[in-house]
Amino acid sequence: ESVTISHQNRHKRKMRNRESRRLSVISLEEKENEVLNRNESVTARVLLENNVPVVFFRIPNTAFGISLGLAAQAKLWQLIASSKHLGNHVGSSPSWILWVLALAIGSIILVLYLYKAIKYPFLVKAEWDHPVRVHFFNLLNLLLIKLATGAPHSLQAGEKGAFRIIFGVALAIQMISTNPLYIRWLFDSSSSVTMARPQFLLSCMGWFFLSDLGSKAGITEHWNIAIPEFCWGAGLVLYLIVLTSNFISLNQSPTVKETPAMFLFLDPPSIAATSAMPFFDGGFGLLSQYLLGWCLLLCVLMIRLVPTVQSFPQSLGINWTYVFSIADVAVAAVHYADYQTSLATCILAYLITGLSVGALFLVFLREAYHFVQAFQGKADLYPDPVVMDNLDRFICDLPRSSEELEEKGHANSPLEF
């Protein structure tokens, strides 16, 4: 009996300790949320009182992902419309609509972002100084190339000269913008190769995008130098480095597995599969088939581990990673169905295309739902954590209210960062 009582007492103590730890964790989370909300409200109030429009905190560099997603869909439907076996009942209308939307939305975001960069450069600097968000500046160059390669066929007819101009501009942007990123990643004493994150793949994607555009523009034949092939090789080596680095450390980075950026692993091999076709006389050769096989395996892994579309979107455009990544895999699958005509390859192309369209609608509905929640006051409209984190450092010594601003003579003066 005494043994039984002692055992019961130990069990009760264990349960009390467990409950105490649970309550302490809940209390800590509540305090962290309270501090975060207070810091965000303080930041927003001080910036508003200094005449910084709120809209510029809702236009981060990740917003270009929206246009890139639409442009990738436009390219997919452009290919389906011209397919010998898949496009019998599909005209050019879907491609036109998606391409015009991508161009219009991208232009609006670009104008707002340029004004933000000119008027409030410290907001852009906060993104440039961030070790991960800096890679999203590559989205603008990716969008330029995707709009060129995904344009409807009626716009592309006989425009190899325009393609070559766009290729030259995009190549210059790629080399200028990625050089400091590679130096910071590979040669900085405070960094290492293993510190690469999935977002690093955005620069790898640029090389494969350039290879695809260069082949369409006939760069090798016109300039007598195999620049598209050079770009393809550079992208492949960088992709393998980033892939190895991430997969080695993935178990130690559980938060990385929960981000849409994981779907970026699909993009480089899928674009590499299609951009390698000119190297095999335009056919979907063995190399392209190997890469497509890897993409399909990654699709299964990513869909199993990653989808967080239902979660709160921290920045505008982040969830559109799902759209353009799966669309690029669908493009490779459609090319393969045209090359290896069979019932099985057509079914594969239909399945991946359906998955791509499903991702488009799912992300669009999630964004629309978030906007409704924001206008009802139930959610914040895309607070940018990178900007908020940096601005909290800048404003920590500034007055926190209008009265304090007036007392210190800063009521009508802009913040100086």
Side-chain angles (χ1 to χ4, degrees):
E1 183 179 352
S2 61
V3 172
T4 303
I5 293 173
S6 175
H7 178 73
Q8 290 175 348
N9 289 337
R10 284 199 302 272
H11 179 71
K12 289 179 181 179
R13 285 196 300 271
K14 186 184 295 184
M15 295 300 294
R16 283 198 299 269
N17 291 337
R18 185 180 300 174
E19 181 66 14
S20 175
R21 287 195 298 270
R22 188 181 71 85
L23 293 175
S24 65
V25 170
I26 293 175
S27 176
L28 179 61
E29 290 178 351
E30 290 176 347
K31 288 180 180 179
E32 288 177 347
N33 290 333
E34 181 183 351
V35 171
L36 178 62
N37 293 334
R38 184 169 65 250
N39 285 344
E40 288 187 0
S41 62
V42 166
T43 303
R45 184 171 66 250
V46 171
L47 292 169
L48 284 174
E49 288 173 342
N50 286 270
N51 301 318
V52 181
V54 175
V55 66
F56 296 112
F57 304 103
R58 319 303 182 190
I59 307 294
N61 57 1
T62 57
F64 291 105
I66 300 174
S67 297
L68 185 58
L70 293 171
Q73 284 286 327
K75 182 173 182 177
L76 171 61
W77 288 99
Q78 168 224 79
L79 180 62
I80 291 176
S82 61
S83 172
K84 296 176 292 185
H85 307 287
L86 304 177
N88 295 332
H89 306 291
V90 178
S92 61
S93 297
S95 175
W96 265 105
I97 293 171
L98 290 164
W99 189 82
V100 170
L101 280 174
L103 180 62
I105 294 175
S107 300
I108 293 171
I109 294 173
L110 178 61
V111 169
L112 290 173
Y113 199 86
L114 287 176
Y115 183 79
K116 166 184 169 179
I118 295 170
K119 190 72 173 178
Y120 308 105
F122 62 89
L123 296 177
V124 178
K125 187 177 185 300
E127 293 180 305
W128 178 259
D129 290 338
H130 194 272
V132 174
R133 277 285 290 279
V134 64
H135 294 274
F136 285 93
F137 283 102
N138 289 298
L139 286 175
L140 186 55
N141 198 34
L142 298 179
L143 176 60
L144 172 64
I145 301 172
K146 186 67 80 173
L147 285 172
T149 58
H153 287 297
S154 57
L155 293 180
Q156 293 189 21
E159 294 298 330
K160 283 197 172 184
F163 275 169
R164 285 192 282 269
I165 294 174
I166 295 174
F167 178 84
V169 172
L171 179 62
I173 294 174
Q174 175 76 5
M175 296 184 69
I176 294 172
S177 62
T178 58
N179 189 52
L181 303 184
Y182 296 149
I183 291 175
R184 187 189 300 185
W185 169 35
L186 297 172
F187 303 112
D188 195 293
S189 58
S190 60
S191 180
S192 68
V193 174
T194 58
M195 292 180 67
R197 290 293 178 265
Q199 293 84 352
F200 283 48
L201 292 166
L202 290 168
S203 65
C204 302
M205 290 165 55
W207 297 112
F208 290 119
F209 274 45
L210 283 167
S211 179
D212 187 29
L213 176 61
S215 297
K216 289 181 180 294
I219 295 296
T220 302
E221 297 79 15
H222 192 267
W223 292 356
N224 295 317
I225 183 171
I227 297 180
E229 288 82 350
F230 297 162
C231 293
W232 199 95
L236 178 64
V237 173
L238 288 169
Y239 174 71
L240 293 175
I241 294 173
V242 177
L243 178 73
T244 305
S245 172
N246 275 270
F247 274 55
I248 287 175
S249 60
L250 201 56
N251 290 334
Q252 286 75 41
S253 306
T255 56
V256 175
K257 291 188 291 186
E258 301 173 358
T259 62
M262 283 294 292
F263 267 70
L264 291 174
F265 284 109
L266 296 172
D267 251 302
S270 59
I271 305 164
T274 56
S275 59
M277 290 174 61
F279 309 155
F280 298 92
D281 298 324
F284 205 84
L286 284 177
L287 178 58
S288 297
Q289 294 173 35
Y290 296 154
L291 292 168
L292 178 58
W294 172 239
C295 291
L296 296 177
L297 174 60
L298 281 178
C299 268
V300 175
L301 292 175
M302 296 300 108
I303 293 172
R304 173 66 180 83
L305 295 176
V306 176
T308 56
V309 179
Q310 76 280 2
S311 63
F312 178 78
Q314 291 294 325
S315 297
L316 181 63
I318 286 292
N319 281 339
W320 287 82
T321 305
Y322 299 118
V323 179
F324 62 77
S325 296
I326 302 177
D328 285 332
V329 179
V331 167
V334 172
H335 274 299
Y336 181 50
D338 274 344
Y339 174 76
Q340 187 73 39
T341 305
S342 69
L343 178 61
T345 57
C346 289
I347 290 175
L348 176 64
Y350 281 127
L351 286 175
I352 304 298
T353 300
L355 183 63
S356 173
V357 174
L360 172 64
F361 279 102
L362 184 60
V363 169
F364 174 77
L365 291 175
R366 181 62 183 91
E367 300 285 347
Y369 176 68
H370 180 68
F371 270 95
V372 171
Q373 282 191 313
F375 284 114
Q376 290 177 347
K378 298 179 181 178
D380 197 355
L381 188 59
Y382 300 110
D384 189 344
V386 171
V387 174
M388 292 299 180
D389 289 346
N390 282 273
L391 291 180
D392 283 342
R393 293 206 312 262
F394 293 140
I395 68 173
C396 60
D397 296 325
L398 293 177
R400 293 291 194 255
S401 66
S402 299
E403 292 77 10
E404 292 178 80
L405 285 167
E406 291 174 359
E407 288 176 6
K408 297 199 175 187
H410 295 295
N412 297 316
S413 62
L415 292 177
E416 295 184 4
F417 297 96

